[in-house]
Amino acid sequence: MSFFSKGYTIRLTVLLAANILFTATTAVGQGFTDDAKMAAGFLESFDSLSAKGGSISAEDVQKALVAERSGITLDLAKPVSKELTAHTLYEKAKSATVITGVAYLCPRCENVHLSESTGYIIDPKGVVITNYHVAATYAFMKDGNKPKGFVARMADGHTYAVKAILASSKKNDLAVLQLDTHGDVLPALSLADSAEVGDKIYVLGHPKGIHYFFSQGNVNNKYLEEVGEGNNKFFREMMSVSADYATGSSGGPVMDIYGNVVGTVANTRMFLHSDMNAGVQMVLKNVVPVESLWNLIRK
């Protein structure tokens, strides 16, 4: 007579299979981002770079932003035509998406602070796209803060100083940065020609210090946005999307299902019910369409 009953053998087999599956899943499962550790490492990297000479000065960024140069020579990757799984797209985008860091001293302490935003690489030689207002934060610092440096951190921890502003557009809220890569060849994202209303899109950024936050949605609208004040009002091309992001995601890539960039995160706009009822009805997520980027970088 067998020591094990048929029922016991079946249960034991199921338990062993479940244990093997759990062990395998644990072994290959994705790790968890330690945002505090990442932020501390970024600041430590800045201190190291600063000791070696630092980055472009705030004064030079001011001059470049005021000049608003356009038309630059780039080594761009060809657009991708094969649809990617969401996770594959995330991993690809993560390797080419940076944390931009504006380092400064505040009037209340002697510690260096880093204001984080987002950017993405489009040329392996270290050409990064971000917002004009991100670069302007460094160039035109307010509230008694003193600029100390402008840097970018890769997902793998490598940190590079920003050495030049290659092009910029205040109207379209875009800036093209050149990193001092010391010859390193960096992963880059390709640019699409455009996106259409209804297209599925993905966004990667660092909202409120939550690094490499990945969201998905659709293109909701492409429209002319009126901006500016008084006699300085003008219209610009904008695109709204339904993917989530927040402060810190500025300059992040908005990508199609192939991983091609179709826009750059710009701002949010809150719609209230009325002046009498301040209840929030909708938050518009505005991104700069890739068409505006093409107009800036093409010669």
Side-chain angles (χ1 to χ4, degrees):
M1 179 181 293
S2 172
F3 177 77
F4 297 105
S5 68
K6 183 176 180 181
Y8 183 85
T9 302
I10 293 173
R11 288 196 298 273
L12 181 61
T13 302
V14 171
L15 287 173
L16 285 172
N19 185 58
I20 291 171
L21 179 61
F22 175 78
T23 302
T25 303
T26 303
V28 300
Q30 187 172 6
F32 294 85
T33 302
D34 188 334
D35 291 306
K37 183 178 180 180
M38 189 175 290
F42 193 14
L43 185 57
E44 185 178 340
S45 297
F46 167 76
D47 290 338
S48 178
L49 280 176
S50 182
K52 297 176 183 177
S55 64
I56 185 174
S57 69
E59 292 77 12
D60 285 342
V61 174
Q62 282 185 25
K63 294 175 183 177
L65 293 181
V66 170
E68 291 200 79
R69 292 186 291 268
S70 62
I72 51 180
T73 301
L74 295 168
D75 181 16
L76 299 176
K78 292 182 179 180
V80 180
S81 57
K82 181 181 178 181
E83 184 175 349
L84 303 175
T85 66
H87 180 70
T88 300
L89 191 151
Y90 166 76
E91 292 294 344
K92 176 183 176 182
K94 183 178 179 181
S95 69
T97 300
V98 302
I99 309 171
T100 59
V102 170
Y104 65 95
L105 288 172
C106 76
R108 294 173 295 280
C109 70
E110 297 181 354
N111 298 324
V112 174
H113 306 279
L114 271 178
S115 175
E116 295 184 352
S117 295
T118 312
Y120 57 93
I121 300 165
I122 62 169
D123 184 314
K125 294 186 293 294
V127 178
V128 171
I129 304 300
T130 190
N131 291 132
Y132 182 100
H133 75 256
V134 170
T137 299
Y138 176 58
F140 306 102
M141 202 154 278
K142 301 177 180 179
D143 302 323
N145 297 320
K146 297 180 179 180
K148 292 291 291 181
F150 196 10
V151 293
R153 183 190 191 276
M154 305 290 293
D156 63 7
H158 284 81
T159 301
Y160 302 101
V162 176
K163 71 175 185 179
I165 308 296
L166 301 179
S168 64
S169 170
K170 184 176 182 179
K171 174 183 176 180
N172 293 306
D173 198 15
L174 290 171
V176 184
L177 318 179
Q178 175 64 64
L179 304 183
D180 189 359
T181 65
H182 305 288
D184 291 349
V185 177
L186 307 181
L189 296 176
S190 52
L191 304 180
D193 290 328
S194 64
E196 297 181 348
V197 173
D199 285 353
K200 186 175 182 179
I201 53 89
Y202 298 92
V203 172
L204 190 61
H206 317 296
K208 295 290 186 178
I210 302 175
H211 301 104
Y212 294 101
F213 182 87
F214 189 58
S215 61
Q216 69 179 49
N218 297 89
V219 176
N220 299 134
N221 196 13
K222 296 179 76 171
Y223 70 105
L224 295 179
E225 179 189 36
E226 185 179 16
V227 292
E229 298 178 355
N231 296 326
N232 295 319
K233 288 185 178 181
F234 59 91
F235 289 90
R236 65 181 178 184
E237 296 176 346
M238 292 297 285
M239 188 166 75
S240 59
V241 300
S242 59
D244 269 339
Y245 58 78
T247 300
S249 297
S250 291
V254 181
M255 298 156 288
D256 61 20
I257 58 177
Y258 313 107
N260 304 310
V261 173
V262 297
T264 304
V265 171
N267 59 62
T268 61
R269 181 182 173 191
M270 188 181 299
F271 289 104
L272 305 180
H273 181 272
S274 66
D275 292 337
M276 300 297 293
N277 181 353
V280 177
Q281 288 197 313
M282 186 173 76
V283 177
L284 193 68
K285 306 294 179 67
N286 275 328
V287 306
V288 183
V290 71
E291 293 97 320
S292 297
L293 177 56
W294 278 118
N295 289 335
L296 177 63
I297 64 177
R298 276 184 174 139
K299 286 194 172 183

